[in-house]
Amino acid sequence: MRHLPLRGQCYTSVVARIAYLECTKCGAHLSAEQPQTVCPKDGGVLYVRYDLAELKPSFTAASLFGRTPTMWRYAEVMPEAEPVSLGEGFTPMLPSREHPNVYIKDEGLNPTGSFKARGMSAAVTMAKAYGLKKLAAPSAGNAGGALAAYAAAAGIEAHIFMPKDVPPANRVECESFGAKVTLVDGLIGDCARRVAEQKEAEGWFDVSTLKEPFRIEGKKTMGYEVAEQLGWRVPHGIIYPTGGGVGLIGMWKAFAEMQELGWIGAERPQMVAVQSSGCAPIAKAWDEGKPTADLWANAETIAAGLRVPKAYGDYLILEILHKSGGVALSVTDDEIMDALRHWARVEGIFAAPEGAAALAAYRKLRASGFFGADDSVVLFNTGSGLKYLDVIEAAKRGPRPAARQIGGIIGPH
Ligand SMILES: Cc1ncc(COP(=O)(O)O)c(C=O)c1O
Ligand SMILES: [Zn+2]
């Protein structure tokens, strides 16, 4: 039975199913009874751990039958709190009309038009359960809109810092949801700095990407859905437009959990991280065989969500690419725009530039022979093109819109 904590009630009741939070660097265990950010010892990203062995007998794939068609259908492996839900998740897995064995997971159909809804639904759910009243995040993209929407639904304040040249759709939706938007004369790193400087005095809880453990839990549900929608099989490959890489990290966690639950075997998809050639720190680190990525200078791309010069979880992304036999690659903005138009005309899907990068990557990987025609590959369209009308119009007219540059260690999340 789900329930909210009463004022003053011990947090334990809302996190009963969570065994502990585990540091992905040193393995330290932390309690989920109070809000956590990153490992206090080494800044490692924290994973939420459940007692899967205890869940296994009753939490079967068959038990999902008839459940709500949202990401909360996987309730046993989600935080036990009353979900702050707007119907996120369980998005369509569309067979491509062009490429046999290719599927398009259309995340543009989520509330607020992107997969960021999943992470924010989970993070705001926990924020509400913990009794937090004010959340803050830097954002140059869809995460701000998602945070604003879920905060509105939860009756929590949202403080969002965006560069002053943020895409209009993102700013307008945040303001419409009643969020306090601060436009910063600077780059996303400057926005992150403003949040860091002000959060203590203002009493804000920082829900920056990977610095809050539950956004991964929301995004991992994409992995559960891929397996469920393909009849409890994992595809040969998954192509994921990678900025901070939270979805890729989350899906990999989901596959491990599903194996422990006995829902899938040891097989894993080859995980592919696609970036824009104007900001490709992960692809560069991959090519150089490094375990972490260097900060990318002068990040510049029409795919706003991929403008992450230094992903906080770079070590996790690169490890997953290696373990899965995957690859990281970059595609140009022109290739992205071409793929965007092509998808719209051939598939009837109006993708975000970030999502269209997945098709551009698939084309390259087919041409190079990395994937064959028989390989089943899931392409993630992470957002709706409707939020990028200015970018798409400007690209149609010829010269690209003035590039927005960002710096700093926190991306547009
Ligand atoms: C549409 C879209 N796709 C992809 C990304 C990158 O997401 P991740 O941080 O999970 O790599 C973003 C991030 O803002 C986004 O808005
Ligand atoms: Zn640690």
Side-chain angles (χ1 to χ4, degrees), residues 84-174:
V84 178
S85 176
L86 295 168
E88 54 292 322
F90 222 64
T91 53
M93 174 76 87
L94 302 166
S96 165
R97 288 172 162 77
E98 182 180 26
H99 299 286
N101 301 315
V102 167
Y103 298 86
I104 303 162
K105 182 75 171 144
D106 196 358
E107 292 292 299
L109 296 174
N110 274 302
T112 71
S114 91
F115 72 146
K116 295 284 172 184
R118 297 177 186 261
M120 287 304 183
S121 174
V124 172
T125 290
M126 282 311 282
K128 186 170 179 186
Y130 284 134
L132 301 171
K133 298 279 179 263
K134 300 175 182 184
L135 304 179
S139 174
N142 291 309
L147 171 59
Y150 287 94
I156 291 176
E157 276 180 33
H159 298 265
I160 297 161
F161 286 72
M162 296 172 145
K164 72 174 195 301
D165 63 350
V166 69
N170 296 122
R171 178 181 55 76
V172 172
E173 69 174 339
C174 287

Side-chain angles (χ1 to χ4, degrees), residues 113-116 140-143 209 215 219 222 240-248 304-306 308 317 352-355 381-384 388 411-413:
S114 91
F115 72 146
K116 295 284 172 184
N142 291 309
T209 194
R215 283 178 68 179
K219 289 221 187 151
M222 294 189 293
Y240 179 80
T242 304
V246 186
L248 190 129
L306 306 186
V308 182
I317 301 168
E354 295 88 342
N381 172 34
T382 42
S384 165
Y388 298 80
H413 302 270

Side-chain angles (χ1 to χ4, degrees), residues 385-406:
L386 290 172
K387 294 180 95 172
Y388 298 80
L389 296 180
D390 56 330
V391 173
I392 294 165
E393 271 297 289
K396 199 172 76 184
R397 282 197 299 272
R400 290 217 318 270
R404 299 182 184 99
Q405 296 195 342
I406 59 170

